[in-house]
Amino acid sequence: MDFVIPENKTKGMLEEIITLRRHLHQNPDLSGKEAGTSKIIQEFAKSHSEVEIVSDLGGAGLALIYSFPEEGPTVMIRCELDALPIEEPNQFSHRSLKKGISHKCGHDGHMAIVAGILPWIKTQAIKKGRIILFFQPAEETGKGALQVLKDVKFKALKPDYIFALHNLPGEPLNSIITVEDAFSCTVLSFSIQLTGKQSHASEPENGINPAVAISRIITGLNDFRIPDENNPEFALLTPVYLNMGDKAYGISAGKGELHYTIRTRSEEAMEVLKKKILNLVGSICTDEKLKFNIQWFDHFLATVNHAKCNEIIKEVAIKNDYQLITKPHPFKFGEDFGWFSQHTKAAMFGLGAGINVPALHHNDYDFPDEILQTGIDMFTSIIQKILNSSEEP
């Protein structure tokens, strides 16, 4: 069957989807604590479609499953449940009701888009395959996707394709943004604990103060930076936290700590950078007679887009008459959707959130309701194209 734009869209439901989005915005949950958000989605699902519900996936993860009569491909559409530990200064009526927690990455909008697929499903004459709407926990910490993939309940779902989107402030409203190969970078964070010897401030020669080592490490790490996004060896090292000693002026510090987040285009490049960091820190600490310990955490794999999935995204964007923008290199942010792209045919695309709007993770950001319908139309078109195709997955 040839692919056509779905005739029965959800525009009549749009006001209800907007209401859902704003309700989610008012009731945010932090990573790993999304039970309340998951419950909101389940209640919405039960009132709009007869779907199988699989809950508690890798934590508060939730899958809504709709099976058509005949065997066919399984298309999963994924979004994120969690919010951020950011106080919201906005004063609009749907501002966060939870102190110090708010949806500043747009996951409320992503969830509303995916939930907005439910009313569309009921109108379809699709005969084969399955649709799985998946609401993932703990994306912001980089832990959720991996936890989900280890869950036997998720393994049993066996999707053939997984698609996701991310809203992108700074891009034209309702535009669709694709990237060949990797959509987003590999991101990793690390901490360095330095241990020397505390002494009296008047006798620093009797101790081992980490100050000089910290200075040398920061300078050395800065030399590893290749911030030019057009350079294939791109590497970004960002210092995020530094601490040394105490505010006790009679004491020469004996301990110090540094935290960084680092970004590269691939896992291979990340491994090379990690070795360079270890060699640098080890050499400096030997010189300065310090003990050290490095811990690595918050690992986001690069989101590698499958070529076939990327082509489907481009085709449906063009047929829906949306502006299509192809970027020459991955976005610098991390996205733990990359763990899914390691196991299944998968792709993520960007959805333009407007040019002159607050950036992601800024405290005055709010997901634009104007792009909800575009996200719904993109996903429903992707689903229809795959499930109405005669091709094997």
Side-chain angles (χ1 to χ4, degrees):
M1 180 184 293
D2 291 335
F3 166 61
V4 295
I5 298 172
E7 293 181 3
N8 197 327
K9 298 192 177 185
T10 57
K11 288 186 172 60
M13 284 286 300
L14 187 56
E15 287 303 316
E16 191 168 352
I17 301 303
I18 291 172
T19 298
L20 172 64
R21 200 283 295 181
R22 295 182 179 184
H23 183 58
L24 290 165
H25 190 95
Q26 286 182 306
N27 297 276
D29 289 318
L30 290 176
S31 305
K33 300 177 181 180
E34 306 99 336
T37 300
S38 181
K39 183 179 179 181
I40 292 171
I41 297 298
Q42 289 186 57
E43 290 173 350
F44 181 88
K46 289 174 183 177
S47 66
H48 286 88
S49 188
E50 294 182 3
V51 291
E52 177 188 353
I53 297 176
V54 180
S55 58
D56 303 321
L57 289 167
L62 177 69
L64 309 177
I65 306 168
Y66 192 95
S67 299
F68 293 99
E70 300 175 17
E71 290 290 323
T74 295
V75 182
M76 176 177 283
I77 308 297
R78 170 268 196 184
C79 62
E80 316 93 323
L81 287 163
D82 53 342
L84 286 158
I86 298 174
E87 182 70 24
E88 178 160 60
N90 296 326
Q91 294 300 312
F92 42 60
S93 60
H94 62 278
R95 72 186 304 272
S96 173
L97 298 175
K98 296 187 179 180
K99 184 174 178 57
I101 307 174
S102 55
H103 274 292
K104 296 303 172 183
C105 203
H107 294 178
D108 53 337
H110 299 173
M111 286 186 281
I113 286 170
V114 175
I117 297 171
L118 286 167
W120 172 86
I121 292 175
K122 294 188 297 186
T123 70
Q124 296 308 296
I126 297 170
K127 294 186 178 1
K128 64 179 183 179
R130 290 190 304 165
I131 300 170
I132 301 177
L133 307 180
F134 175 53
F135 299 77
Q136 181 207 306
E139 187 280 327
E140 293 292 354
T141 60
K143 297 176 180 178
L146 192 55
Q147 291 171 183
V148 165
L149 286 166
K150 292 177 180 178
D151 193 317
V152 293
K153 290 183 290 184
F154 185 84
K155 291 178 181 179
L157 298 179
K158 297 180 179 178
D160 295 298
Y161 302 92
I162 306 180
F163 291 89
L165 64 73
H166 208 294
N167 79 98
L168 297 176
E171 299 293 342
L173 195 70
N174 290 310
S175 61
I176 304 301
I177 301 96
T178 63
V179 187
E180 300 298 333
D181 300 321
F183 182 82
S184 61
C185 283
T186 292
V187 180
L188 185 64
S189 295
F190 68 92
S191 63
I192 306 171
Q193 287 80 35
L194 302 171
T195 304
K197 184 180 179 183
Q198 186 174 287
S199 67
H200 196 287
S202 68
E203 298 175 333
E205 68 276 11
N206 292 331
I208 303 174
N209 191 306
V212 173
I214 289 173
S215 175
R216 291 179 62 189
I217 290 170
I218 291 172
T219 300
L221 292 177
N222 193 61
D223 290 340
F224 296 157
R225 294 176 71 249
I226 306 175
D228 181 4
E229 292 186 61
N230 295 312
N231 191 322
E233 296 182 358
F234 166 85
L236 192 61
L237 296 86
T238 305
V240 295
Y241 176 79
L242 170 64
N243 183 46
M244 188 191 78
D246 298 297
K247 294 178 182 178
Y249 301 99
I251 299 173
S252 176
K255 292 184 179 180
E257 185 174 359
L258 296 87
H259 289 233
Y260 272 73
T261 183
I262 56 180
R263 299 160 196 272
T264 61
R265 292 279 166 77
S266 67
E267 286 300 307
E268 293 76 16
M270 182 61 74
E271 287 302 312
V272 171
L273 181 57
K274 284 177 66 177
K275 289 178 183 177
K276 290 167 68 176
I277 292 168
L278 280 167
N279 289 339
L280 173 76
V281 174
S283 175
I284 291 172
C285 288
T286 297
D287 288 348
E288 302 293 336
K289 299 180 174 55
L290 289 161
K291 295 178 182 178
F292 75 93
N293 179 52
I294 296 184
Q295 295 180 322
W296 309 93
F297 46 89
D298 286 1
H299 188 190
F300 296 82
L301 292 183
T303 294
V304 180
N305 283 347
H306 189 276
K308 180 178 179 180
C309 295
N310 234 11
E311 286 306 310
I312 291 171
I313 290 167
K314 291 177 183 178
E315 182 178 343
V316 301
I318 292 168
K319 291 211 172 186
N320 277 286
D321 201 28
Y322 293 128
Q323 180 184 359
L324 179 63
I325 300 170
T326 300
K327 296 288 186 179
H329 45 68
F331 288 97
K332 292 188 288 184
F333 56 76
E335 235 294 347
D336 79 348
F337 186 71
W339 289 100
F340 296 112
S341 70
Q342 298 282 312
H343 299 272
T344 309
K345 292 175 183 174
M348 173 174 279
F349 62 92
L351 175 53
I355 301 294
N356 297 312
V357 294
L360 299 174
H361 291 211
H362 282 216
N363 65 356
D364 59 346
Y365 165 90
D366 184 40
F367 184 93
D369 292 327
E370 298 94 323
I371 66 175
L372 288 169
Q373 188 66 54
T374 301
I376 294 169
D377 290 349
M378 282 294 298
F379 281 142
T380 54
S381 297
I382 288 168
I383 292 167
Q384 191 196 55
K385 176 170 175 58
I386 293 172
L387 297 189
N388 281 336
S389 173
S390 58
E391 295 181 20
E392 291 295 320

